[in-house]
Every structure is written in C-alpha cells, then in structure tokens.
Amino acid sequence: TLLDAANMQGVSIKYACKGGGCGLCKIKVNEGSYERGKSSKAVLPDSERELDYTLACKTFPKSNMTVLV
C-alpha cells in the first residue's frame, strides 16, 4: 500500500486501523495512477473520491505518485 511504502521511505502518514475505516490516513493524490481498495464511505465519501482523495492504507500505486499528506 501507499501507507507501507511511505513508511519504508521515512515519510510519516498518521494511521490507526489500516483497514479503511478510521480515515486518519486520508491523503490527496496530485499526480499518478493508483487503485483504491475498499474503504468506508463515512470517512471517504464519493464527493472526496472524485477529487482524488483516498486513504493511504487502501491505495495501491500503479505509477510514481505525488500526494499531499
């Protein structure tokens, strides 16, 4: 996941559950392609998904990415 990759590179992203339910690891994708896993619509509603917000714990990079933490 993006969360695991960031942590391996020394980039700190806050998280709690790592299951897509708490929303603590919400980020904004500025560039790059990714696949989003299942997550709660209560913490990541469709309106935010359309604006490229995602949860780092449920984001699987498909290319290099630039994100706002």
Side-chain angles (χ1 to χ4, degrees):
T1 66
L2 182 62
L3 177 63
D4 292 334
N7 285 332
M8 288 186 338
Q9 295 297 315
V11 177
S12 179
I13 298 175
K14 292 180 184 181
Y15 69 93
C17 72
K18 290 183 90 172
C22 73
L24 198 58
C25 65
K26 189 182 297 183
I27 58 167
K28 170 114 172 58
V29 176
N30 291 329
E31 291 181 28
S33 60
Y34 60 95
E35 185 175 315
R36 183 184 292 124
K38 291 183 181 181
S39 60
S40 169
K41 289 201 177 191
V43 297
L44 188 65
D46 288 335
S47 59
E48 289 183 344
R49 293 169 194 248
E50 292 170 6
L51 297 173
D52 281 326
Y53 284 91
T54 188
L55 302 181
C57 71
K58 291 295 181 180
T59 299
F60 303 92
K62 299 294 183 189
S63 70
N64 289 335
M65 297 178 70
T66 304
V67 300
L68 178 62
V69 177

